[in-house]
């Protein structure tokens, strides 16, 4: 007869935050011109690896009943990591093989991601530490401007790049804080910006 045991699930949210920080911080130098198109293939490899912690974070958050956090990690993993890995690779090989691409279609992907994140940002403002909220607001700006860049508003490229820098910087703090908190150690991340 099997014993009735209760399985505890640990929150892998910090793993999602590190994937998010890496994804935003490889977008930042690319958008700001600190690296050239020869970085795309390496960016593809890194983005593909980011999919793993995103999805593990998503699964644990969903098992813990956190729909907002879990679903956000799922779509970030699917599009900000996995889809980006494919598009970075395509952008690397396109000039080599003379592929003609209409990248304006990617603006629609980023627009949907921006709209969803912007409209769900109040959840993070109410229930997440201040550091997470600042990061999400920066991601809102980065994603919205990225969509516009694909639609021809190239003057926003630095805004998008530096917004992703801010998002990733505060994501790093969330990673550290989450890992330390899981070990019972406190790390200052600030109280939620919206009060209940």
């Amino acid at each position: 007869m099997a014993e009735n045991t209760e399985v505890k699930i640990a929150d892998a949210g910090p793993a999602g935050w590190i994937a998010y920080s890496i994804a935003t911080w490889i977008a930042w130098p690319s958008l700001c011109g600190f690296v050239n198109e020869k970085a795309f293939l390496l960016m593809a490899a890194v983005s593909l690896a980011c999919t793993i912690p995103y999805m593990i974070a998503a699964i644990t958050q969903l098992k813990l009943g956190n729909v907002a956090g879990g679903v956000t990690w799922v779509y970030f993993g699917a599009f900000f990591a996995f889809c980006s890995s494919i598009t970075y690779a395509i952008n690397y090989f396109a000039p080599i093989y003379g592929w003609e691409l209409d990248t304006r279609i990617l603006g629609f992907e980023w627009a949907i991601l921006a709209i969803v994140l912007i409209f769900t940002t109040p959840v993070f403002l109410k229930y997440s530490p201040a550091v997470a909220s600042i990061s999400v607001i920066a991601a809102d700006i980065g994603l919205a401007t990225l969509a516009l860049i694909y639609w021809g508003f190239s003057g926003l490229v630095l805004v998008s790049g530096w917004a992703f820098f801010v998002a990733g910087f505060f994501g790093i703090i969330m990673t550290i804080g989450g890992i330390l908190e899981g070990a019972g150690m406190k790390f200052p991340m600030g109280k939620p910006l919206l009060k209940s």
Side-chain angles (χ1 to χ4, degrees), residues 54-183:
Y54 268 136
M55 292 306 175
I56 292 171
I59 290 166
T60 62
Q61 290 268 302
L62 291 170
K63 283 185 177 261
L64 290 166
N66 182 355
V67 174
V71 171
T72 302
W73 287 141
V74 169
Y75 73 76
F76 268 49
F79 300 104
F80 210 5
F82 190 75
C83 182
S84 288
S85 72
I86 296 167
T87 56
Y88 287 144
I90 290 169
N91 282 320
Y92 177 82
F93 288 111
I96 296 171
Y97 294 104
W99 298 339
E100 292 186 17
L101 305 171
D102 186 349
T103 57
R104 292 175 297 179
I105 195 67
L106 295 176
F108 294 92
E109 171 203 5
W110 294 112
I112 292 168
L113 293 172
I115 291 165
V116 171
L117 189 61
I118 289 166
F119 276 93
T120 57
T121 293
V123 174
F124 297 96
L125 297 178
K126 188 172 181 180
Y127 297 107
S128 298
V131 168
S133 297
I134 295 167
S135 182
V136 171
I137 291 167
D140 289 341
I141 296 166
L143 292 172
T145 51
L146 187 59
L148 293 170
I149 290 163
Y150 277 111
W151 291 334
F153 295 90
S154 58
L156 295 171
V157 72
L158 292 179
V159 175
S160 185
W162 284 103
F164 286 134
F165 167 81
V166 172
F169 177 80
F170 287 101
I172 292 167
I173 296 171
M174 282 299 296
T175 303
I176 296 166
I179 292 169
L180 291 176
E181 189 177 278

Side-chain angles (χ1 to χ4, degrees), residues 6 12 20-22 30 38 53 63 70 154 191-192:
E6 187 178 325
Y20 166 90
S21 299
I22 291 169
S30 177
K38 292 180 181 177
K63 283 185 177 261
S154 58
K191 294 181 179 178

Side-chain angles (χ1 to χ4, degrees), residues 29-45:
S30 177
L31 288 163
C32 292
F34 302 144
V35 297
N36 61 31
E37 64 280 352
K38 292 180 181 177
F40 284 146
L41 196 55
L42 296 171
M43 290 167 69

